[in-house]
């Protein structure tokens, strides 16, 4: 009688060694992977804020009127609660709607009759902060019809995950309204 058997399986020793090697490799890979995820989240949120500022600038030029980016929330200088972008007809850096059901009303010549909300942004993910230091940008940043910032003072917004300055981002707004990102920020939050 001939016996047919399969000798292509693993022994218990081979299986244990394979699992041990996989555990060591994962021990090195997981912290690096978590760091990559954190870095990508910071980059994504920094790019979203830069895109917001560039959008406000282009809308101000296109519409020929001031467009303001205003933080949400009660605390001055704290932007992680989200922000709004709106046509600021009177240039007072506050959103003023006349309260009726028709939004973004214009005059016969096409000029805005009321402020018009263009976009609203949700809060940043939990544990992430976006702060500013200059008094002229604590509550808002605005662009006039020429595309220039409505102030001559630049500022740096600091985007951080907790107190980790190494993996933070600095979003720099210069005195003429141009914006760019550098890394890391000087301090967190």
């Amino acid at each position: 009688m001939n016996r047919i058997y399969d000798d292509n399986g693993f022994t218990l020793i081979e299986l244990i060694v394979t699992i041990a090697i996989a555990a060591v490799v994962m021990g090195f890979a997981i912290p690096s992977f978590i760091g990559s995820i954190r870095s990508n989240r910071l980059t994504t949120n920094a790019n979203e804020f830069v895109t917001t500022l560039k959008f406000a600038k282009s809308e101000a030029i296109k519409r020929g009127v001031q467009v303001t980016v205003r933080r949400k929330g009660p605390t001055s200088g704290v932007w992680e609660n989200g922000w709004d972008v709106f046509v600021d007809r009177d240039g007072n850096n506050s959103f003023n709607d006349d309260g009726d059901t028709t939004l973004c009303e214009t005059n016969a010549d096409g000029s805005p009759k009321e402020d018009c909300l263009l976009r609203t942004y949700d809060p940043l993910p939990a544990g992430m902060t976006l702060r500013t230091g200059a008094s002229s940008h604590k509550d808002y940043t605005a662009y006039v019809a020429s595309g220039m910032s409505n102030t001559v003072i630049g500022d740096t917004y600091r985007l951080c995950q907790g107190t980790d300055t190494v993996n933070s981002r600095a979003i720099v707004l210069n005195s003429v309204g141009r914006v760019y990102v550098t890394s890391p920020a000087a301090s967190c939050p």
Side-chain angles (χ1 to χ4, degrees):
M1 177 189 231
N2 288 335
R3 287 191 167 178
I4 299 175
Y5 60 91
D6 185 20
D7 61 357
N8 293 328
F10 294 106
T11 66
L12 184 58
I13 300 295
E14 290 172 330
L15 184 60
I16 291 171
V17 168
T18 302
I19 291 172
I21 290 171
V24 169
V25 170
M26 286 177 50
F28 287 113
I30 288 175
S32 176
F33 185 65
I34 290 170
S36 293
I37 290 171
R38 177 178 285 163
S39 178
N40 285 341
R41 284 182 182 157
L42 283 166
T43 299
T44 298
N45 286 294
N47 288 342
E48 181 177 48
F49 193 67
V50 167
T51 300
T52 298
L53 296 176
K54 289 182 177 183
F55 170 71
K57 181 176 184 170
S58 70
E59 287 295 313
I61 293 167
K62 179 177 91 174
R63 295 170 184 265
V65 66
Q66 180 172 310
V67 173
T68 301
V69 180
R70 184 163 187 83
R71 64 158 182 80
K72 295 178 187 177
T75 308
S76 189
V78 174
W79 286 73
E80 60 260 24
N81 295 320
W83 50 89
D84 292 324
V85 181
F86 58 92
V87 171
D88 195 357
R89 180 186 61 81
D90 56 5
N92 70 351
N93 307 312
S94 294
F95 182 70
N96 304 308
D97 183 33
D98 63 9
D100 64 10
T101 57
T102 307
L103 302 176
C104 304
E105 295 173 291
T106 57
N107 295 313
D109 65 357
S111 63
K113 187 186 273 188
E114 65 182 354
D115 290 354
C116 179
L117 183 64
L118 301 174
R119 288 192 185 156
T120 187
Y121 292 85
D122 292 330
L124 295 177
M128 200 170 279
T129 59
L130 180 61
R131 307 287 169 89
T132 184
S135 60
S136 60
H137 295 278
K138 282 189 180 284
D139 298 321
Y140 66 88
T141 295
Y143 291 91
V144 294
S146 67
M148 302 285 283
S149 175
N150 72 337
T151 65
V152 294
I153 300 169
D155 197 7
T156 300
Y157 296 84
R158 300 175 319 274
L159 179 64
C160 303
Q161 180 73 44
T163 58
D164 180 12
T165 56
V166 173
N167 294 309
S168 63
R169 302 290 185 272
I171 303 163
V172 180
L173 176 68
N174 70 15
S175 59
V176 294
R178 293 186 69 196
V179 63
Y180 60 93
V181 178
T182 64
S183 183
S187 64
C188 287

